[in-house]
Amino acid sequence: MVYSLAYRRPPHVEPRRISTATADSGPSIGGTTLDETHESLQDNSINYGVPDALSFDRIIDGGTCPPCTTRDFMNYLIYIEHAAENLQFFLWYKDYVRRFDLLSEKERRLAPEWTLEQAEAQALALKDNPAPMKSISAETAAVFKGTDFDVPKTTIVELSKGGSNPFGTPPMTPTSRDHDSIAPSEYPWSDSGSTLRSGFKASHDKKAAGAFAVADVKLQPFTIQPFREEISRIISIYVAESAPRQLNLSSKERAGLLHALATTTHPTAFRRVIHTVEWSLRHQAHQNFIRWTICNGNRPRVIFARGLGIAGIVGGILAAVLIVLSNAGRGWRVLSAIGFGIGIATLVAAWKGMCVVLHGMHHRHLRPWELFAEDDDASSVLEMKKDSFDTLGSNNSYEDQPWVAKYEKRNLIRKVFDREVWIQEPALRQIQDTIFLQAVLGSLVLTAICVGIFVALPKGRFY
């Protein structure tokens, strides 16, 4: 069973920003709503080339099989698109809404809802009174003195009084390579993963307080509000500037969110930010993920398949030319259809990222991070998987993972003929069947045209 022959795989969507300043009108998670712009874009683009069986909601809810699961989506965002923070924040927010709804009525009253009227009033206030200019050091001011970038003296601070040098090298973010050298008391979670350690709690509280100060927000001491410590941690990981998983938010979005979180820990405080994150996931990352997943071979294999397709076409042309120049009858020229047919079908499929040999068995190549999972220590593989789904974890760096160096050392021939695995997702197999059928039909038409041209030519009679 295949989809329509007019099917086209999802186009590659470049990252772009949207405005969340307009009123909300559509359904979303946690009872909040999506912007009208989001709705129109959802109707026009999200389903383009993506069947319902591979929809964003179905993947997030765990209704798909490998290689289209939430785990595969996360791996794609980490290793290919380098933007996993959106999905990590989205998953955290979805779980946060669930946990907040489980609170007692008495506890929920401590964190009042952040209404649309409050959000609009805050947006207007930020528009009329933009965030204060950041302070810079005297050395930096001296560099720009007398130029168009000269700054007022009120924004100049002395480094000895707490100002930071913008030209200084920032401290390196700890990676998993440094994990073993960190003292146990410095880990953010206990071994059971249920409690925050006091050292990291103080660190996140300090970073959150710094974020509020930068946005010129006075934090109310609402320590009895539910999940206040967790919100401080979220601010230090996703919202604060230079955070390890900093979301791509505008300064107004960041300031508006911090103003809301200074008042309440209700999930509606994230209303506008979660709309931006969800829109990016649905209309950009999800489509690119499905497009990437359709490719059943790695890049060396796809290039190799394209080369075979071109070689088949060239072979068909040479065979047809040699027969035309000989005394052989016209019927012999039809033999060139073998080269044309195989070559064109292979090239068309490869141009869409598919290898027809792998497709014949409904196989795909293992991804580089999957390839060495069996060779690596089981505990390190488990730790890698846990880190990517740890929504309150550190940065998403993977350069120090063991598979990176191993795959770089792998020779080209082994990459072309890497290990394969069966594709379990039926909807993905249907998409690949459709593309293969399109390639075969297109090959038949083009082959008939090419062979017809050569059959119509007169004999050369050179030999």
Side-chain angles (χ1 to χ4, degrees):
M1 183 177 178
V2 297
Y3 294 106
S4 170
L5 292 179
Y7 171 84
R8 294 176 61 190
R9 62 176 180 159
H12 180 75
V13 182
E14 294 294 336
R16 52 177 174 165
R17 290 196 50 79
I18 59 170
S19 174
T20 58
T22 55
D24 306 287
S25 63
S28 182
I29 57 178
T32 57
T33 57
L34 282 174
D35 186 86
E36 290 180 357
T37 306
H38 298 183
E39 279 193 350
S40 63
L41 287 171
Q42 181 172 356
D43 294 337
N44 294 332
S45 64
I46 191 170
N47 293 324
Y48 178 73
V50 181
D52 292 338
L54 296 178
S55 65
F56 175 79
D57 293 318
R58 188 153 185 172
I59 292 176
I60 295 299
D61 292 339
T64 52
C65 300
C68 301
T69 61
T70 310
R71 165 69 59 192
D72 297 306
F73 192 16
M74 181 71 76
N75 287 337
Y76 166 78
L77 292 176
I78 291 176
Y79 302 124
I80 305 299
E81 204 161 277
H82 310 295
E85 61 275 359
N86 283 338
L87 181 57
Q88 290 163 337
F89 179 79
F90 180 83
L91 294 176
W92 168 83
Y93 178 77
K94 189 176 181 181
D95 181 67
Y96 182 71
V97 170
R98 179 189 62 80
R99 289 184 285 118
F100 192 90
D101 291 340
L102 293 177
L103 294 175
S104 64
E105 183 65 25
K106 181 179 180 181
E107 290 178 304
R108 287 201 298 267
R109 288 177 182 174
L110 298 175
E113 181 180 353
W114 184 253
T115 63
L116 286 174
E117 291 74 14
Q118 289 176 293
E120 291 171 359
Q122 187 60 55
L124 290 175
L126 290 174
K127 184 177 180 180
D128 297 335
N129 301 300
M133 185 181 297
K134 296 180 182 178
S135 300
I136 64 174
S137 65
E139 289 80 357
T140 306
V143 174
F144 294 116
K145 187 175 182 180
T147 68
D148 294 337
F149 302 99
D150 198 357
V151 294
K153 292 183 178 180
T154 55
T155 63
I156 302 175
V157 297
E158 297 293 335
L159 292 178
S160 59
K161 295 182 179 180
S164 60
N165 184 3
F167 298 110
T169 303
M172 294 182 61
T173 301
T175 61
S176 58
R177 183 176 298 171
D178 308 317
H179 191 273
D180 296 336
S181 62
I182 300 178
S185 60
E186 295 179 26
Y187 286 108
W189 298 92
S190 66
D191 294 336
S192 62
S194 59
T195 57
L196 281 169
R197 294 190 181 272
S198 58
F200 261 73
K201 174 184 177 299
S203 174
H204 287 295
D205 288 345
K206 184 177 180 180
K207 290 180 181 179
F212 283 117
V214 170
D216 196 24
V217 178
K218 294 182 179 180
L219 179 63
Q220 301 294 329
F222 289 150
T223 55
I224 61 173
Q225 285 186 335
F227 304 117
R228 173 54 69 182
E229 292 182 4
E230 183 175 349
I231 292 299
S232 296
R233 187 176 175 87
I234 288 298
I235 292 173
S236 67
I237 294 175
Y238 293 98
V239 181
E241 295 186 9
S242 301
R245 295 180 180 179
Q246 183 179 352
L247 297 173
N248 186 20
L249 304 176
S250 67
S251 58
K252 289 184 178 179
E253 288 174 327
R254 181 179 294 106
L257 174 60
L258 291 173
H259 276 84
L261 293 178
T263 304
T264 180
T265 59
H266 196 278
T268 51
F270 294 93
R271 178 186 286 113
R272 298 195 182 279
V273 171
I274 199 62
H275 290 171
T276 302
V277 171
E278 187 176 355
W279 188 95
S280 177
L281 288 171
R282 287 182 179 272
H283 302 280
Q284 188 256 328
H286 174 241
Q287 290 202 67
N288 290 346
F289 169 65
I290 298 300
R291 176 185 174 91
W292 174 79
T293 306
I294 291 173
C295 303
N296 60 2
N298 56 25
R299 182 169 177 79
R301 180 61 169 260
V302 172
I303 294 176
F304 179 72
R306 291 177 183 176
L308 289 180
I310 294 173
I313 295 173
V314 172
I317 294 174
L318 290 177
V321 169
L322 291 175
I323 296 174
V324 167
L325 296 178
S326 68
N327 289 319
R330 294 178 183 268
W332 291 101
R333 302 177 191 179
V334 180
L335 292 175
S336 62
I338 299 175
F340 281 120
I342 296 176
I344 294 175
T346 302
L347 183 60
V348 171
W351 214 261
K352 296 186 178 182
M354 282 180 49
C355 172
V356 293
V357 176
L358 292 175
H359 173 71
M361 300 177 289
H362 278 139
H363 282 190
R364 68 173 178 88
H365 271 159
L366 288 172
R367 311 300 182 191
W369 51 90
E370 299 172 326
L371 201 58
F372 302 98
E374 298 177 1
D375 301 333
D376 293 337
D377 181 50
S379 60
S380 63
V381 174
L382 180 62
E383 181 182 352
M384 179 179 68
K385 292 181 178 180
K386 182 180 178 181
D387 289 344
S388 61
F389 270 87
D390 183 6
T391 54
L392 299 179
S394 58
N395 64 347
N396 294 314
S397 175
Y398 65 90
E399 289 80 4
D400 57 345
Q401 293 180 5
W403 67 264
V404 176
K406 291 181 179 180
Y407 192 74
E408 288 179 354
K409 295 177 181 179
R410 204 173 183 84
N411 62 63
L412 184 60
I413 302 300
R414 292 193 66 184
K415 289 181 180 179
V416 172
F417 299 100
D418 259 338
R419 282 184 288 174
E420 307 163 12
V421 65
W422 185 63
I423 297 174
Q424 301 180 35
E425 176 54 48
L428 181 60
R429 295 200 301 267
Q430 283 185 253
I431 292 177
Q432 293 177 342
D433 289 341
T434 304
I435 293 176
F436 177 73
L437 184 58
Q438 291 173 339
V440 171
L441 293 178
S443 174
L444 291 176
V445 173
L446 294 177
T447 298
I449 295 174
C450 294
V451 173
I453 293 174
F454 282 107
V455 169
L457 295 176
K459 293 182 180 181
R461 301 182 185 278
F462 286 101
Y463 54 91

